[in-house]
């Protein structure tokens, strides 16, 4: 729950349990990763539109190889903190028609 909320990283025991779950069901890992990416993308877009982030900062995210162990999770938490004041604007199904 804290990971989804952008809180501190979970304790080692929780990380190990999460790792086992994702290895047991790769589809679950893909789904959770996709959902987190969507939510973060929405927050980044709103932060850009509201002036909390610049286009250069967004572009820099695509140049970071995230090669070090743990760097994707650290970056995710950092971006969640930076965009914490931004309220995502989700549209209801009715707004698409």
């Amino acid at each position: 729950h804290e990971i989804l909320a952008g809180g501190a990283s979970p304790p080692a025991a929780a990380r190990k349990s999460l790792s086992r779950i994702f290895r047991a069901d790769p589809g679950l890992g893909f789904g959770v990763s996709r959902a987190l990416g969507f939510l973060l993308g929405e927050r980044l877009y709103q932060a850009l539109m509201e002036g909390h982030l610049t286009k250069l900062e967004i572009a820099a995210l695509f140049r970071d190889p995230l090669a070090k162990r743990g760097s994707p999770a650290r970056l995710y938490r950092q971006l969640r903190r930076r965009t914490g004041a931004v309220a995502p604007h989700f549209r209801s199904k009715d707004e698409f028609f």
Side-chain angles (χ1 to χ4, degrees):
H1 176 265
E2 287 183 11
I3 295 172
L4 295 175
S9 55
R15 283 194 306 270
K16 191 173 183 178
S17 294
L18 285 171
S19 179
R20 273 195 301 257
I21 291 169
F22 287 113
R23 278 196 310 270
D25 185 356
L28 176 63
F30 175 77
V32 169
S33 298
R34 186 169 186 243
L36 290 174
F38 174 80
L39 293 170
L40 182 59
E42 178 67 21
R43 284 178 150 321
L44 290 173
Y45 175 76
Q46 290 304 322
L48 177 65
M49 293 295 103
E50 294 176 15
H52 299 287
L53 291 173
T54 67
K55 288 181 181 181
L56 290 174
E57 289 174 304
I58 300 288
L61 296 174
F62 291 93
R63 289 190 297 272
D64 187 345
L66 301 173
K68 293 183 183 175
R69 182 175 172 86
S71 60
R74 276 192 296 279
L75 178 61
Y76 176 80
R77 287 191 303 274
Q78 175 191 9
L79 291 171
R80 285 284 297 149
R81 281 191 297 276
R82 286 198 61 198
T83 61
V86 175
H89 300 281
F90 295 107
R91 294 186 288 177
S92 70
K93 291 179 184 177
D94 296 336
E95 291 179 286
F96 286 104
F97 300 104

